[in-house]
Amino acid sequence: MRGKNVLATKVTIAGGALYVAYDSGLLGGSEQGSKVIGKAKAAFPPAVDEWVKYFGFELPAFPKIGFAPVEAWNSGVHSSISALSSGPTAVGDYTNQGLQYLKDLAK
Amino acid sequence: MSEKELGKKLDRCLADSAVKLGAGLGLGIVFSVVFFKRHTWPVAFGLGMGLGMAYTNCQNDLRAPYLIQRNIKMAS
C-alpha cells in the first residue's frame, strides 16, 4: 500500500512537470518558444528585485555593456570573410617584401 | 526568402533551441530524480529530445515557404 502511494506521488510529480512544460509552450513550435524566452526576459529583472528585497541585501549594479553582439555579428562576418579572401594576396606581398629586405641586406 | 526574413527565422531557431534544451534538461532532471535513482542517462535523453525537437522546428520553419500547401475542404 505504501509502495503504491509512493508510486502515485512520483507519477503525479513527473506528470505535473510534464504538464507545466506543455502548458507554458516549452514543447511547442518555434514561435511559441521564442515568445517564452521573451516572457522570461521580461519577468527576470522584477523577480530578481523581489528576491533581493526579500533577502535584504543589495546586488551590485549590472555593468552596462555598450557592445551588442547581435548588431556586430554582420560586420564581424563581413570583416572575417574580407580578411580571408585577401589573406593569400597579403601573405604573398609580405613574403615578397621580406625576401626583398633580405636581398637588400645581403647586398 | 529575403535576407531579413531568414535572419528572423534564424533568431527564432536559436531562441527556440535554447528553450527546448532547457526544457529537456529540466524534465530529464525531474525524471532522473523521481524515477531513475539520480542516474545521468535520463538527463542526457532529455537533452537529446530537446535538441531533436529544436532541430525539427528549425527545419520546418526554414522549409515552410517552399512547401505546397493543400487546403482540404470537408464535404458538408
Side-chain angles (χ1 to χ4, degrees):
Chain A
M1 192 63 200
R2 191 171 171 269
K4 282 184 185 174
N5 283 341
V6 169
L7 180 65
T9 313
K10 286 183 178 181
V11 167
T12 311
I13 292 172
L18 205 57
Y19 176 75
V20 163
Y22 171 74
D23 194 45
S24 49
L26 294 175
L27 305 176
S30 29
E31 294 256 0
Q32 277 182 309
S34 46
K35 274 183 198 166
V36 165
I37 272 214
K39 278 188 209 168
K41 269 189 197 171
F44 187 67
V48 165
D49 285 338
E50 260 191 54
W51 280 104
V52 162
K53 276 182 203 166
Y54 181 75
F55 284 112
F57 62 85
E58 272 188 36
L59 276 176
F62 194 76
K64 279 187 186 172
I65 308 165
F67 172 78
V70 171
E71 276 146 39
W73 179 260
N74 279 343
S75 60
V77 169
H78 192 258
S79 316
S80 315
I81 300 296
S82 304
L84 277 173
S85 67
S86 58
T89 320
V91 164
D93 286 342
Y94 287 133
T95 315
N96 287 337
Q97 279 181 21
L99 286 173
Q100 191 60 43
Y101 177 73
L102 287 171
K103 278 181 193 170
D104 291 341
L105 277 180
K107 278 182 191 170
Chain B
M1 210 193 309
S2 71
E3 208 176 283
K4 207 174 169 183
E5 217 179 296
L6 178 65
K8 279 186 189 169
K9 285 190 187 225
L10 288 174
D11 284 343
R12 249 193 336 251
C13 268
L14 274 176
D16 187 52
S17 305
V19 167
K20 296 286 184 293
L21 279 173
L25 178 70
L27 284 172
I29 290 173
V30 166
F31 274 79
S32 164
V33 165
V34 167
F35 286 121
F36 299 111
K37 296 172 190 168
R38 295 180 198 175
H39 281 216
T40 326
W41 69 263
V43 180
F45 186 74
L47 275 172
M49 291 275 282
L51 194 64
M53 284 195 287
Y55 184 84
T56 312
N57 280 348
C58 279
Q59 196 175 49
N60 284 340
D61 208 7
L62 289 167
R63 279 183 185 174
Y66 306 109
L67 290 172
I68 299 166
Q69 302 288 342
R70 204 168 51 150
N71 290 322
I72 302 168
K73 274 190 184 176
M74 298 296 289
S76 54

